[in-house]
Amino acid sequence: MDISRLIITEKRLVTFLKASEEAIDDNMSNDARYGIMDILNAAEGVDSVMAFREDMRMVSTNRISYRYDSDVMMSDSWKDNIYSSEGRACVELNCNGVARRVDDKTIVTIERAINDTNSQKRIGIMMMNISANVFQEMLNQLRYDNVCIVGSDGSYIAGNKTYIRYYTPEFETPGIRNKNIKIDNKRVLISGCSVDNYPIVIMRISKY
């Protein structure tokens, strides 16, 4: 989250967000992009950052890896939760429908409204997209091979991909849910729980 705070106060990005429409050119857009990338050079696991002006002109890192839905982008529905958070970070999957990776790999998106530090007037929105590799590396370090991390929409994020078939929406409810199932004719216990304030479900399979 600290990285997202650094990004929304980056001087070249703020200049781009506050500029008049007539003042924006390729040089200004590139400067804003380079400003973001300077911060990301010291970060790991960030797949891309997208920053939108109030008029929906945008700059993005790693842009060619994404396809954008212009209809969603120009609608108001995806912005409501961001604006109601009043500058606090909120977390969604896959840019809240605005964009997806071209390879359809699931990403976790941290979103913030960007306010001018002097006037506190809103000047844009930032999306910071976290690669699923972050979650996979975490599981690798813990040497867990019986865990699967799933998006709340049922999409695979990391871990043992063969377990994705056992995901059901009931795992999204508060608390840990347990189910008895059979794998290769052997009884096992599958446990799942949602992560508070994140669109993520963690499932684990244990042998009896």
Side-chain angles (χ1 to χ4, degrees):
M1 299 294 188
D2 290 339
I3 297 173
S4 68
R5 289 184 183 276
L6 287 173
I7 291 170
I8 64 177
T9 57
E10 206 288 322
K11 183 177 179 181
R12 286 164 286 183
L13 174 61
V14 171
T15 297
F16 167 79
L17 296 174
K18 293 174 64 175
S20 66
E21 191 171 349
E22 296 78 16
I24 295 176
D25 57 18
D26 289 343
N27 288 333
M28 183 182 291
S29 297
N30 286 333
D31 282 346
R33 186 178 299 108
Y34 295 146
I36 296 171
M37 292 174 66
D38 283 348
I39 295 172
L40 295 185
N41 284 338
E44 294 183 359
V46 179
D47 191 70
S48 67
V49 170
M50 304 168 186
F52 300 85
R53 288 165 44 96
E54 288 290 278
D55 60 10
M56 287 296 102
R57 295 184 71 168
M58 67 173 293
V59 292
S60 174
T61 65
N62 201 16
R63 186 181 178 100
I64 61 172
S65 295
Y66 289 78
R67 58 176 181 272
Y68 295 80
D69 189 322
S70 56
D71 291 335
V72 174
M73 190 184 300
M74 299 310 296
S75 71
D76 292 329
S77 58
W78 65 277
K79 307 171 193 172
D80 292 342
N81 189 40
I82 302 172
Y83 291 160
S84 64
S85 296
E86 299 180 344
R88 297 186 302 273
C90 50
V91 184
E92 302 285 351
L93 297 174
N94 300 315
C95 306
N96 210 359
V98 170
R100 287 191 68 98
R101 282 189 56 90
V102 295
D103 58 11
D104 282 327
K105 288 184 177 179
T106 300
I107 50 173
V108 176
T109 303
I110 298 170
E111 304 171 323
R112 284 185 184 275
I114 306 174
N115 297 327
D116 179 71
T117 54
N118 296 318
S119 67
Q120 291 303 305
K121 179 182 177 182
R122 190 177 66 233
I123 56 176
I125 289 173
M126 182 219 64
M127 291 182 169
M128 184 171 73
N129 298 308
I130 307 301
S131 168
N133 292 339
V134 171
F135 301 93
Q136 187 60 59
E137 289 173 7
M138 175 185 68
L139 293 178
N140 291 345
Q141 290 174 6
L142 295 171
R143 298 184 179 180
Y144 286 162
D145 61 1
N146 62 338
V147 171
C148 183
I149 301 177
V150 185
S152 57
D153 59 357
S155 58
Y156 171 77
I157 295 179
N160 192 323
K161 196 170 186 177
T162 62
Y163 294 168
I164 192 76
R165 72 186 75 172
Y166 306 115
Y167 169 83
T168 61
E170 68 186 86
F171 289 134
E172 296 176 40
T173 57
I176 298 174
R177 300 294 179 189
N178 298 306
K179 293 172 63 177
N180 293 303
I181 62 172
K182 281 189 175 183
I183 299 179
D184 298 328
N185 290 320
K186 295 179 180 179
R187 290 181 66 235
V188 297
L189 178 70
I190 179 168
S191 303
C193 66
S194 61
V195 180
D196 288 345
N197 301 316
Y198 285 80
I200 291 173
V201 170
I202 298 177
M203 299 190 304
R204 179 176 180 177
I205 290 183
S206 305
K207 297 178 181 179
Y208 281 104

